[in-house]
Amino acid sequence: MEKGKILLAVTGFHPQRWRELLSAEREVVLEPDGASDPSITYAVVWKQKPNLLKSLPNLRAIFSIGAGVDHIFADPGLPDVPIVKVVADNLTQYMTEYVVWRVLDHHRQGMLYRAQQPKKIWHEPPQRPAGDISVGIMGLGNLGRAAASVLLSLGFAVNGWSRNDKTMKGVSTYAGEAGLIPFLNATDILVVLLPLTPDTQGIINHGVLKELRKRNGLGGSVLINAGRGRLQKDADVLRALDDGTLKEASLDVFEVEPLPKTSPLWSHPKVFVTPHAAATSDPVHLAPIMLRQMDAFERGEKLDNLVDRKAGY
């Protein structure tokens, strides 16, 4: 099978480093030579322009630069070719670091100590052991399972919820609509790592947050969202923080990004904000994985980490 060109179609950041690394083995272009360019066989994308891919006659597969693929499904002219999502050890490591960092910070009352420091307050509140705290992870894919494993090693009780039945040693698992409320009722710190699909959009709303366990060793429930911004309703998160439904929140993603400067989340005393930085895609690690997949596919091997179009992830 002849090697064709890679179309590198991204918005929101400069593609030069990706182009350099992919060009080590294949010709890379940033625009097709006409809507029906026959020379393009693969597309590496992040929020590509609508209908850019639909008329490429020899397109064999689409590779997502980021962990999420909702940006690909937003294209009304998406062609019927395999879609490959990013799965890489360093991306998993970054996300695990972020989740564990934020869980530990809330558990060890980081927000309280940061508030005390400028006031020169020397006060140590009671500290519960990790085993008294239940961390619930929504989304038990590669990222969720990796984070759960480390949290278990630190002594936390870990729950997991997913759309379909999944099991993991040491984790109390729940599934589907029937399992959602029991999962929330048993959770003190909610970690959201779900993919964004029509079924999960807006799933983190006030009604869901009200079901979290409040009488716990933390003195209230906590939200950590490192998944996708539109999984949550920002206004509902604010309402939950203001009415005491939530004690605190760590938010890496938002309904609108960049987070508007007018958003009250920026200055809310109970919110820790990061700029969608939990697990940034690193081309040094990811470009070689994509190139190996392309080579293997051309040898007749199956592509790894294919997206289930029906499920949306």
Side-chain angles (χ1 to χ4, degrees):
M1 188 180 291
E2 183 182 349
K3 287 187 177 182
K5 296 177 184 176
I6 296 173
L7 172 63
L8 179 59
V10 303
T11 58
F13 62 91
H14 199 282
Q16 183 57 34
R17 187 60 177 142
W18 280 93
R19 188 175 192 177
E20 289 173 359
L21 292 164
L22 291 169
S23 295
E25 295 187 18
R26 293 172 182 262
E27 185 176 352
V28 178
V29 297
L30 300 181
E31 294 283 347
D33 184 14
S36 301
D37 186 346
S39 68
I40 293 170
T41 52
Y42 299 102
V44 175
V45 304
W46 179 255
K47 298 182 179 180
Q48 75 275 11
K49 296 175 184 176
N51 301 311
L52 180 68
L53 309 177
K54 72 174 185 178
S55 298
L56 301 176
N58 295 317
L59 187 66
R60 297 171 189 159
I62 301 168
F63 291 79
S64 174
I65 278 178
V69 293
D70 46 285
H71 65 101
I72 294 178
F73 285 112
D75 186 346
L78 186 64
D80 186 17
V81 299
I83 301 170
V84 181
K85 55 189 173 185
V86 167
V87 176
D89 289 344
N90 79 307
L91 199 66
T92 303
Q93 175 70 18
Y94 289 156
M95 183 60 79
T96 299
E97 290 172 359
Y98 178 88
V99 170
V100 173
W101 170 43
R102 298 317 310 147
V103 167
L104 286 173
D105 188 70
H106 290 291
H107 170 54
R108 294 306 303 262
Q109 307 186 69
M111 286 196 177
L112 173 63
Y113 288 125
R114 285 189 291 275
Q116 287 184 175
Q117 184 172 341
K119 299 175 183 177
K120 303 179 177 65
I121 296 173
W122 188 272
H123 168 66
E124 180 185 0
Q127 180 63 53
R128 303 293 288 271
D132 287 355
I133 307 302
S134 175
V135 182
I137 300 176
M138 294 185 80
L140 280 181
N142 290 317
L143 300 179
R145 296 172 79 88
S149 179
V150 176
L151 291 168
L152 285 170
S153 74
L154 292 171
F156 289 97
V158 180
N159 302 322
W161 182 87
S162 50
R163 299 290 299 176
N164 302 305
D165 289 321
K166 292 185 178 180
T167 59
M168 181 176 176
K169 185 178 180 180
V171 176
S172 299
T173 55
Y174 304 79
E177 188 174 348
L180 182 57
I181 300 303
F183 161 79
L184 295 166
N185 292 167
T187 292
D188 304 320
I189 300 176
L190 178 64
V191 177
V192 183
L193 294 176
L194 290 168
L196 180 64
T197 70
D199 289 335
T200 61
Q201 183 168 339
I203 192 171
I204 306 302
N205 54 48
H206 194 267
V208 160
L209 296 173
K210 280 201 314 183
E211 297 294 339
L212 291 169
R213 189 164 64 185
K214 297 170 187 63
R215 297 173 65 90
N216 58 39
L218 293 172
S221 52
V222 171
L223 169 66
I224 300 172
N225 188 2
R228 311 299 290 171
R230 285 187 290 150
L231 293 170
Q232 74 192 23
K233 295 182 178 180
D234 289 1
D236 283 21
V237 174
L238 279 164
R239 178 185 167 195
L241 289 161
D242 290 338
D243 68 13
T245 297
L246 284 177
K247 178 191 176 189
E248 296 167 351
S250 286
L251 304 175
D252 185 58
V253 291
F254 306 88
E255 284 187 277
V256 176
E257 294 181 2
L259 182 64
K261 295 184 185 300
T262 54
S263 172
L265 290 168
W266 277 114
S267 56
H268 200 290
K270 298 179 181 179
V271 179
F272 186 89
V273 170
T274 47
H276 203 144
T280 301
S281 296
D282 183 352
V284 172
H285 288 86
L286 300 183
I289 294 173
M290 293 177 181
L291 291 169
R292 286 197 297 270
Q293 282 250 61
M294 294 173 193
D295 289 343
F297 191 48
E298 289 166 2
R299 293 194 300 268
E301 299 174 25
K302 292 183 179 179
L303 291 166
D304 294 327
N305 306 311
L306 284 175
V307 172
D308 182 333
R309 282 177 173 260
K310 186 175 180 180
Y313 59 91

